[in-house]
């Protein structure tokens, strides 16, 4: 959001003037000295906070102790003001790196020595790889490029990524930014990417500081007259605990993330950025965040001016800081915090506590160590390197999902299919492939360019843009299909259909796209491959059921090398191995489910959400994806049929006989409750391939209210297996971690009874009983 927009939000003449001045300060920061505490600076070299050989907390307290109240307050916002008398330059906290360094936020700029950065596939595509090592490696590369740009003076070190919200509703415009609908996958993605961004954490240091957003229960932007600024998400403790908060907890526990961002919406009537229970008690108290909490941009202004949560702006400033907010993306706290202190709504110590968290992160980043540290040598030569760009291609390869392949029409043969018609509004796009929150890509390979590397192509767009408002180009497209040996239709969505602030109203292809596919498929004299670009799912039942459409491929938004990856899959240079990270619903599903209902579980006529709770018909299920080879699962050893869980004591408080369950917090999880499973995966086809082993657990039908979970993913592992070979995958089933369900009070319990493990076509039943 621009400075002008921020001023308009507050809507007060005096405040507008102050905001304008703040923006002038920010605009001048491009001239600031890059490194604080430079040893060559005689002004600062004797100051204690610049001494790298003393503990960080001591340095932080020394710096805060030197600041006036007014100086402190100007550090509470994203465009933090300089403190020239202490040799501290201004700093822009807001940078983005969702799938590559981005210039969406004001903290990073492209140009000069840094014309672009590696643009990886959008997150929903990368999530489809189900490959945790890939996710971490992408984070490592992105942070290399971010550090290089920081050293060059054109970027910061605090990146407000990743987005780890659950893809609850298929219409959400920001589905593309997320790792999908499953809490375990979202949590593992979050932790992996954060670790890649932040480095190994040695000595509590940070390479860059990541931020998991948007906390919490945020997944509606603008639907049916309801927008994110006014939405009150009514969420049960059960759904918070086992769905919405899971990825954020993983960010902190497993990723040791340096920041959490609170969201625009309210949760149960309270703005998240003013909710002490969500921020101070949960993130910082229960989860022990080692970092800072930041608002989504202008969230504090939003809950004052649009949600009318407080009577005065000073009360809004006080409510957010006392709830645990440390940094405001926007000018609100810079304008109103001093008044809140003067009115006794806040103390200066409250401000100090917020600064402890932000300045500590800056210290851990080395921002007060001069131009020193292990990343000081990174520069322009470390951005858009051949290795980085190859990883972008590999990520696209791994994320592409084959949804249909009748009669093994794929892969095409460049000898038999010498001429290919490439048709569709997304057939020769560039920026569409990188989705939103993207930067400037190093280079692009469009689908048309990628296919043209293999064969002669006949190109027709068919439609003018994905809106496909007319059929004027259909005739030329049909003619190309008649002349070609095979036809590739590249259809789908783009940011004009699904984006931040833009939720979809339905799940069908826009405009006349379906008609174009049907007519071209009928005209084609060879196999017809439908390639879909989108973040959210699309109801393509018509193509799935049309025998003239012989193959369907979903590519998400595949990044700068997307066209090359698509062509490699189509011509068999790469064997597809992606799996859908979300359910593809039928169009009539959305007619039954308002986006404003947050409940995950089915109830009455309400069908529930995601594969865990919805039991109705789907176009393609979560975890679905085909290969050019075949895989067979077997258990490499006999498994026990019983698993014992030992409670600390056997009494009514520990063992609940009415629900036949034990609270996880009361179970002795170190004894008797773990079981290793060895799954042998055989590649029984003729092509090498990668395969994702998905392990689901289905709980017993029990008396715990709201237990009706179909099944839930408890583990996944990506393996590469050569044709005719076998690989053994070990999964350790832990009753406390994997077999628990959450009751209506938000407490995790282990149901006693028969649990069923699903591994591909395999099923294994385990009787879980208390150890008496």
């Amino acid at each position: 959001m621009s400075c002008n927009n921020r001023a308009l939000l507050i809507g007060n003449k005096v405040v507008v003037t102050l905001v304008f001045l703040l923006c002038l300060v920010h605009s001048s920061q491009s001239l600031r000295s890059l490194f604080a505490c430079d040893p060559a600076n005689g002004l600062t070299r004797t100051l204690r906070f610049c001494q790298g050989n003393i503990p960080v907390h001591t340095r932080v307290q020394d710096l805060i102790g030197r600041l006036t109240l007014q100086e402190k307050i100007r550090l509470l916002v994203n465009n933090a003001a300089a403190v020239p008398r202490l040799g501290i330059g201004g700093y822009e906290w807001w940078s983005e790196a969702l799938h590559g360094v981005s210039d969406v936020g004001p903290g990073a700029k492209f140009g000069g020595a840094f014309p672009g950065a590696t643009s990886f596939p959008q997150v929903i595509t990368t999530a489809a790889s189900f490959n945790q090592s890939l996710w971490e490696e992408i984070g490592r590369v992105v942070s290399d490029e971010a550090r290089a740009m920081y050293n060059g003076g054109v970027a910061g070190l605090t990146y407000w990524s990743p987005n780890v919200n659950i893809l609850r509703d298929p219409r959400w415009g920001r589905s593309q930014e997320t790792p999908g609908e499953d809490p375990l996958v979202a949590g593992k993605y979050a932790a992996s990417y954060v670790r890649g961004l932040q480095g190994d954490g040695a000595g509590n240091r940070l390479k860059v500081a990541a931020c998991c957003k948007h906390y919490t229960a945020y997944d509606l932007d603008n639907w049916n007259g309801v927008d994110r600024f006014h939405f009150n998400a009514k969420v049960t403790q059960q759904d918070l605990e086992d769905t919405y908060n899971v990825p954020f907890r993983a960010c902190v526990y497993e990723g040791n993330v340096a920041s959490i961002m609170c969201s625009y919406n309210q949760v149960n009537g309270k703005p998240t950025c003013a909710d002490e229970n969500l921020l101070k008690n949960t993130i910082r108290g229960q989860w022990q965040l080692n970092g800072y909490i930041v608002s989504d941009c202008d969230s504090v202004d939003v809950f004052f001016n649009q949600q009318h949560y407080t009577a005065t702006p000073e009360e809004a400033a006080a409510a957010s800081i006392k709830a645990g907010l440390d940094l405001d993306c926007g000018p609100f706290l810079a304008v109103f915090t001093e008044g809140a202190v003067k009115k006794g709504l806040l103390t200066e110590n409250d401000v100090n506590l917020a600064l402890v968290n932000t300045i500590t992160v800056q210290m851990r980043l080395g921002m007060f160590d001069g131009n020193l540290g292990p990343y000081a040598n990174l520069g322009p030569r470390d951005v858009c390197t051949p290795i980085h760009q190859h990883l972008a291609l590999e990520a696209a390869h791994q994320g592409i999902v084959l949804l249909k392949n009748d009669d093994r029409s794929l892969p095409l043969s460049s000898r038999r299919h010498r001429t290919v018609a490439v048709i569709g509004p997304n057939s020769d796009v560039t920026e569409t492939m990188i989705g939103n929150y993207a930067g400037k890509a190093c280079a692009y390979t469009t689908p048309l360019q990628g296919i043209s590397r293999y064969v002669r192509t006949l190109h027709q767009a068919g439609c003018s843009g994905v809106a496909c408002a007319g059929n004027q180009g259909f005739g030329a497209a049909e003619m190309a299909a008649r002349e070609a040996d095979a036809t590739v239709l590249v259809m789908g969505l783009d940011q004009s259909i699904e984006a931040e602030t833009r939720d979809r109203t339905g799940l069908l292809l826009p405009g006349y796209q379906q008609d174009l596919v049907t007519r071209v498929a009928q005209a084609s004299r060879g196999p017809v491959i439908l390639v879909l670009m989108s973040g959210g799912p699309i109801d393509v039942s018509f193509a799935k059921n049309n025998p003239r459409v012989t193959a369907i491929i979903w590519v998400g938004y595949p990044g700068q090398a997307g066209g090359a990856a698509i062509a490699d899959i189509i011509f068999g240079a790469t064997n597809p191995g992606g799996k859908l990270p979300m359910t593809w619903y039928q169009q009539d599903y959305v007619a039954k489910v308002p986006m404003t209902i947050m409940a995950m579980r089915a109830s009455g006529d309400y069908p529930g959400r995601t594969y865990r709770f919805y039991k109705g018909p789907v176009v393609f299920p979560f975890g679905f994806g085909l290969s050019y080879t075949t895989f067979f699962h077997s258990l490499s050893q006999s498994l026990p049929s019983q698993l014992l869980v030992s409670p600390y004591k056997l009494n009514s408080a520990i063992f609940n006989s009415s629900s036949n369950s034990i609270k996880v917090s009361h179970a002795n999880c170190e004894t008797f409750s773990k079981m290793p499973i060895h799954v042998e995966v055989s590649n029984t086809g003729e092509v090498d391939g990668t395969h994702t082993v998905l392990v689901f657990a289905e709980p017993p039908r029990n008396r715990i209210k709201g237990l009706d979970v179909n099944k839930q993913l408890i583990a996944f592992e990506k393996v590469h297996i050569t044709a005719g070979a076998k690989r053994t995958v070990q999964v350790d089933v832990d009753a406390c971690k994997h077999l628990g369900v959450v009751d209506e009070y938000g407490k995790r319990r282990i149901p006693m009874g028969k649990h069923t493990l699903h591994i591909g076509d395999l099923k294994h039943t385990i009787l879980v009983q208390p150890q008496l």
Side-chain angles (χ1 to χ4, degrees):
M1 183 176 292
S2 71
C3 288
N4 289 334
N5 288 337
R6 289 175 180 163
L8 290 171
L9 278 172
I10 294 178
N12 177 294
K13 288 184 179 179
V14 175
V15 175
V16 169
T17 302
L18 287 170
V19 172
F20 178 70
L21 291 173
L22 284 169
C23 290
L24 283 180
V25 170
H26 171 62
S27 67
S28 68
Q29 287 176 8
S30 61
L31 302 178
R32 65 175 172 81
S33 175
L34 181 60
F35 303 107
C37 297
D38 193 307
N41 188 341
L43 177 67
T44 60
R45 64 187 177 194
T46 60
L47 298 178
R48 200 148 191 252
F49 69 81
C50 286
Q51 307 304 308
N53 59 345
I54 64 176
V56 166
H57 68 88
T58 304
R59 299 173 67 190
V60 170
Q61 293 295 345
D62 178 77
L63 173 54
I64 292 174
R66 297 174 186 273
L67 299 171
T68 67
L69 176 61
Q70 291 72 28
E71 288 170 335
K72 292 174 183 177
I73 288 170
R74 290 195 291 271
L75 298 179
L76 293 174
V77 292
N78 64 290
N79 55 331
V83 187
R85 65 185 184 85
L86 296 178
I88 299 173
Y91 179 68
E92 177 55 71
W93 285 82
W94 179 10
S95 294
E96 302 281 355
L98 184 67
H99 51 109
V101 179
S102 168
D103 56 354
V104 169
K109 303 294 181 187
F110 292 110
F114 299 95
T118 308
S119 192
F120 290 92
Q122 183 58 287
V123 175
I124 195 70
T125 308
T126 308
S129 72
F130 283 82
N131 187 341
Q132 296 179 64
S133 62
L134 173 68
W135 301 337
E136 185 166 341
E137 181 62 14
I138 291 173
R140 187 195 64 76
V141 166
V142 172
S143 60
D144 274 355
E145 299 195 351
R147 268 284 176 173
M149 292 177 67
Y150 171 76
N151 292 343
V154 295
L157 290 178
T158 46
Y159 288 84
W160 294 347
S161 305
N163 178 342
V164 299
N165 292 118
I166 295 296
L167 202 174
R168 170 187 63 99
D169 192 289
R171 293 162 290 192
W172 188 29
R174 303 185 75 174
S175 299
Q176 60 189 289
E177 302 174 34
T178 76
E181 70 182 41
D182 182 76
L184 175 74
V185 174
K188 293 298 183 185
Y189 175 86
S192 299
Y193 189 62
V194 166
R195 284 193 299 267
L197 287 175
Q198 295 191 166
D200 61 13
N204 200 30
R205 305 289 282 187
L206 294 166
K207 187 179 181 185
V208 304
C211 173
C212 289
K213 62 185 185 183
H214 313 78
Y215 178 78
T216 182
Y218 169 78
D219 51 6
L220 178 150
D221 269 63
N222 194 342
W223 177 82
N224 201 29
V226 180
D227 66 45
R228 58 185 178 170
F229 303 125
H230 300 89
F231 180 51
N232 176 24
K234 297 177 181 178
V235 187
T236 65
Q237 282 301 118
Q238 187 176 40
D239 286 340
L240 270 180
E241 176 63 26
D242 81 347
T243 299
Y244 296 114
N245 283 358
V246 172
F248 295 97
R249 187 168 55 239
C251 276
V252 179
Y253 280 163
E254 300 175 34
N256 196 22
V257 74
S259 177
I260 297 286
M261 176 185 285
C262 53
S263 53
Y264 290 116
N265 58 292
Q266 295 185 351
V267 172
N268 299 326
K270 187 174 284 190
T272 64
C273 293
D275 192 325
E276 184 174 3
N277 184 55
L278 287 177
L279 305 188
K280 186 176 289 184
N281 295 348
T282 302
I283 296 176
R284 200 167 297 286
Q286 293 178 28
W287 301 347
Q288 296 289 297
L289 172 72
N290 180 19
Y292 69 98
I293 300 173
V294 62
S295 74
D296 203 343
C297 292
D298 295 307
S299 286
V300 183
D301 178 79
V302 163
F303 78 66
F304 170 66
N305 274 308
Q306 300 197 41
Q307 297 174 6
H308 308 296
Y309 183 69
T310 62
T312 69
E314 291 80 12
E315 289 174 337
S320 62
I321 292 174
K322 292 184 81 108
L325 188 71
D326 302 310
L327 186 71
D328 177 22
C329 178
F332 198 92
L333 292 187
V335 175
F336 294 111
T337 300
E338 186 172 4
V341 173
K342 288 179 178 177
K343 291 182 178 183
L345 302 172
L346 276 177
T347 67
E348 186 168 353
N349 190 57
D350 292 323
V351 175
N352 291 347
L353 291 175
L355 292 182
V356 165
N357 294 322
T358 55
I359 295 173
T360 296
V361 167
Q362 290 181 311
M363 292 276 186
R364 293 170 62 200
L365 286 163
M367 292 176 63
F368 289 85
D369 297 336
N371 187 17
L372 301 173
Y375 312 111
N377 62 334
L378 293 172
R381 67 185 181 281
D382 300 297
V383 180
C384 288
T385 69
I387 292 175
H388 293 181
Q389 295 193 62
H390 180 76
L391 184 65
L393 173 63
E394 179 58 25
H397 283 156
Q398 293 195 29
I400 290 175
V401 183
L402 178 62
L403 297 173
K404 177 182 178 181
N405 194 20
D406 285 356
D407 301 322
R408 295 187 178 182
S409 56
L410 288 180
L412 297 182
S413 166
S414 58
R415 293 189 302 275
R416 287 185 289 110
H417 306 100
R418 296 184 178 182
T419 302
V420 173
V422 183
I423 295 167
N426 281 335
S427 59
D428 197 27
V429 293
T430 54
E431 291 185 4
T432 295
M433 296 193 299
I434 61 177
N436 70 351
Y437 279 84
K440 302 290 189 295
C442 309
Y444 290 105
T445 303
T446 73
L448 176 63
Q449 291 169 339
I451 295 169
S452 297
R453 293 174 179 177
Y454 282 90
V455 292
R456 174 176 172 265
T457 55
L458 304 174
H459 179 235
Q460 291 292 332
C463 293
S464 178
V466 295
C468 203
N471 61 5
Q472 295 86 347
F474 285 19
E478 289 173 288
M479 185 176 296
R482 290 190 190 101
E483 294 177 3
D485 301 314
T487 298
V488 176
L489 286 144
V490 192
M491 314 297 287
L493 314 178
D494 65 13
Q495 302 307 301
S496 70
I497 304 294
E498 56 174 358
E500 186 173 9
T501 75
R502 186 176 293 120
D503 297 327
R504 288 188 288 163
T505 56
L507 303 181
L508 300 177
L509 285 169
Y512 287 90
Q513 283 197 43
Q514 180 170 325
D515 290 344
L516 175 61
V517 172
T518 301
R519 285 178 54 174
V520 167
Q522 187 63 36
S524 178
R525 66 183 177 89
V528 176
I529 296 91
L530 174 60
V531 176
L532 296 167
M533 284 191 195
S534 73
I538 305 172
D539 183 350
V540 288
S541 299
F542 80 96
K544 178 184 177 183
N545 298 326
N546 185 347
R548 300 286 298 181
V549 178
T550 55
I552 303 175
I553 298 172
W554 175 73
V555 301
Y557 295 118
Q560 65 176 49
I566 290 168
D568 289 344
I569 295 287
I570 287 174
F571 287 95
T574 298
N575 187 356
K579 304 286 186 184
L580 289 178
M582 73 296 211
T583 302
W584 283 38
Y585 302 91
Q586 296 178 352
Q587 166 68 12
D588 62 0
Y589 171 82
V590 297
K592 306 171 188 175
V593 185
M595 277 193 77
T596 49
I597 295 180
M598 301 296 292
M600 298 299 298
R601 289 157 172 79
S603 177
D605 292 333
Y606 181 71
R609 296 183 181 276
T610 76
Y611 80 91
R612 294 187 299 145
F613 304 107
Y614 173 65
K615 297 180 180 179
V618 301
V619 183
F620 297 109
F622 170 87
F624 181 77
L626 303 173
S627 172
Y628 295 154
T629 188
T630 52
F631 297 98
F632 178 77
H633 300 90
S634 61
L635 298 176
S636 60
Q637 89 279 11
S638 61
L639 293 178
S641 58
Q642 188 177 40
L643 190 61
L644 300 177
V645 178
S646 173
Y648 288 118
K649 311 182 204 181
L650 200 58
N651 59 39
S652 59
I654 303 299
F655 179 72
N656 189 322
S657 58
S658 64
S659 66
N660 194 25
S661 66
I662 297 174
K663 282 186 178 179
V664 170
S665 60
H666 294 158
N668 186 353
C669 295
E670 300 305 314
T671 59
F672 304 110
S673 61
K674 296 179 177 66
M675 181 176 70
I677 296 177
H678 296 88
V679 182
E680 189 173 83
V681 185
S682 303
N683 182 342
T684 55
E686 300 176 353
V687 182
D688 298 352
T690 57
H691 179 64
T692 300
V693 178
L694 301 173
V695 182
F696 296 90
E698 178 187 349
R701 294 295 169 237
N702 210 307
R703 286 170 284 180
I704 301 176
K705 186 174 180 180
L707 173 63
D708 45 348
V709 180
N710 299 329
K711 61 181 181 179
Q712 55 192 9
L713 188 67
I714 63 172
F716 58 92
E717 190 72 35
K718 188 92 167 183
V719 290
H720 181 80
I721 309 173
T722 56
K726 300 177 181 179
R727 288 280 300 275
T728 299
V729 176
Q730 178 173 328
V731 175
D732 294 318
V733 176
D734 184 319
C736 291
K737 290 181 180 178
H738 299 139
L739 302 184
V741 295
V742 176
D743 66 18
E744 61 183 313
Y745 305 105
K747 304 299 181 184
R748 190 166 292 275
R749 293 178 172 276
I750 306 170
M752 301 296 104
K754 292 182 178 179
H755 293 250
T756 304
L757 300 180
H758 299 256
I759 309 168
D761 293 331
L762 289 177
K763 289 185 180 180
H764 180 75
T765 299
I766 304 171
L767 180 63
V768 178
Q769 292 182 311
Q771 173 72 30
L772 303 179

